[in-house]
Amino acid sequence: MKVVALSGGVGGAKLAFGLNRMIASDDLTIIANTGDDFCHHGLPVSPDIDTLIYTLSGLNDDVRGWGLRDETWAFMGALEKLGGETWFNLGDRDLAMHVLRREALDKGQSLSTVTEYFRRTLGISARILPMSDTSVSTIVETVEEGLLPFQRYFVQRQSLPKVTGFRFEGVAQALPPSGLLTAIQKADRIVICPSNPFISIDPILAVPGIRHSLIEASAPVIAISPIVNGEAIKGPTAKMFRELGFTPSPIAVAEKYKDFLNVMVIDETDVETSNMSKINGVEVEVAQTIMRTDADKVALAEYILRL
Ligand code: FO1
């Protein structure tokens, strides 16, 4: 079965891990958000691609959610002594991927080529495709501090400023890598991972051609709600819904995807929606969507593939 999954970082990568266990071949294509990407200390950081690569290769730090397990931080300590900026942490081991990515991009390779190299080298069977080979930058519109580049908002300001909207700079000129739109057309199943709809999935949908190919796709599109009982499992998703004037719930998530969504999978503990059969015409399916263990990730993936 050919499966395409749209994913952000931590929550999405958990389900991607399960899907990768279930489909041990390149029949699985994961489309990664690159709106969080930025250049830091001269190095190109692609947080969601990094998280997917580390999670699918089993090298990730499960507690932090990003970066490598057993990481050390000597580089950050040395940087601090020299008065460098330390609000964004690059671990000693994590530096290797960033230095190699810098070298590859400087030689003229595309982000998709270097991502393909990393996933093959680390033995990941799924294809991981950046949503675009050209740069797209998420900018957060905030009440207190005006426009903030994504990582300044998310990491430096801990998602505290109140959001009024989002911009995806460069998205009008963005180019999906070769094979991305064909993968959607040929898929038997399309999965929207339980990632933040505003900052992880919307940037992917904004890349020219992607939303349209989801609307036109012959495969069913299945989303997993990142909201359970009015709160996000991790991160600022629920806060963003509230600040933008919506009540955070699977209904609000389904509303965002209504032009292409066929099935919304909600958590069995969600009081408001777990007994609904449809949300605005979208089929509702109920499962255990909270993924604490690897077994949970595989079980949710198996459930989605059986739907
Ligand atoms: N997240 C943090 O909260 N603090 C960090 O210092 C940090 C460093 C970092 C380095 C590499 C990388 O790939 C990701 C990193 N992240 C960090 C995670 C990341 O910035 C966010 O989780 C995502 O952008 C949101 O999906």
Side-chain angles (χ1 to χ4, degrees):
M1 182 191 292
K2 291 192 187 304
V3 177
V4 168
L6 277 60
S7 177
V10 185
K14 286 184 180 182
L15 180 56
F17 173 94
L19 290 168
N20 189 51
R21 278 278 178 90
M22 292 296 300
I23 307 165
S25 71
D26 62 6
D27 276 352
L28 174 62
T29 301
I30 302 160
I31 303 176
N33 168 43
T34 61
D36 300 5
D37 293 18
F38 77 134
C39 190
H40 193 55
H41 301 306
L43 298 172
V45 188
S46 288
D48 291 352
I49 290 178
D50 296 347
T51 301
L52 282 162
I53 288 177
Y54 290 150
T55 304
L56 269 56
S57 58
L59 299 171
N60 65 307
D61 184 300
D62 247 346
V63 179
R64 252 196 334 273
W66 53 270
L68 285 160
R69 201 181 324 124
D70 302 325
E71 186 56 281
T72 56
W73 306 95
F75 166 70
M76 291 308 297
L79 197 65
E80 189 171 15
K81 278 208 178 95
L82 291 172
E85 277 194 43
T86 55
W87 60 272
F88 191 84
N89 298 283
L90 290 170
D92 300 334
R93 291 179 171 82
D94 190 24
L95 277 176
M97 192 146 81
H98 290 94
V99 168
L100 289 182
R101 186 184 283 135
R102 173 77 288 151
E103 285 176 7
L105 295 179
D106 282 353
K107 279 185 204 148
Q109 286 183 19
S110 64
L111 183 59
S112 49
T113 303
V114 62
T115 305
E116 177 69 7
Y117 169 78
F118 286 138
R119 74 101 177 165
R120 281 187 185 275
T121 307
L122 293 174
I124 299 169
S125 57
R127 292 198 301 163
I128 301 173
L129 293 181
M131 67 188 200
S132 168
D133 267 329
T134 55
S135 160
V136 177
S137 303
T138 297
I139 306 289
V140 186
E141 300 170 357
T142 72
V143 174
E144 300 88 337
E145 299 179 44
L147 301 179
L148 285 175
F150 181 75
Q151 297 297 340
R152 293 268 174 195
Y153 163 82
F154 192 87
V155 174
Q156 192 177 28
R157 300 291 297 113
Q158 302 277 291
S159 309
L160 289 173
K162 191 172 173 196
V163 303
T164 54
F166 303 92
R167 299 179 189 180
F168 309 123
E169 269 182 14
V171 81
Q173 300 80 41
L175 278 183
S178 102
L180 188 152
L181 297 178
T182 317
I184 294 177
Q185 280 156 13
K186 292 196 170 157
D188 300 305
R189 202 145 296 195
I190 300 167
V191 180
I192 314 289
C193 288
S195 299
N196 185 314
F198 301 105
I199 54 174
S200 299
I201 303 298
D202 272 356
I204 303 178
L205 299 175
V207 172
I210 296 188
R211 187 172 206 122
H212 181 74
S213 48
L214 292 180
I215 295 169
E216 298 284 301
S218 51
V221 183
I222 304 164
I224 296 78
S225 175
I227 299 281
V228 178
N229 283 318
E231 288 304 330
I233 308 303
K234 196 173 193 291
T237 312
K239 174 181 178 285
M240 287 174 175
F241 268 111
R242 282 192 290 268
E243 289 171 354
L244 294 169
F246 304 101
T247 305
S249 79
I251 300 172
V253 178
E255 180 67 20
K256 282 193 68 58
Y257 302 149
K258 66 179 175 203
D259 49 342
F260 56 78
L261 190 63
N262 302 106
V263 181
M264 171 60 88
V265 179
I266 57 160
D267 192 71
E268 59 196 8
T269 66
D270 195 89
V271 174
E272 188 189 4
T273 49
S274 59
N275 55 6
M276 290 174 85
S277 61
K278 287 204 172 197
I279 298 174
N280 295 336
V282 173
E283 298 282 337
V284 171
E285 297 286 349
V286 179
Q288 184 195 321
T289 64
I290 300 173
M291 295 170 278
R292 292 192 185 85
T293 63
D294 286 355
D296 293 342
K297 297 168 198 170
V298 176
L300 182 59
E302 194 180 2
Y303 174 87
I304 289 164
L305 298 180
R306 259 194 284 114
L307 275 179

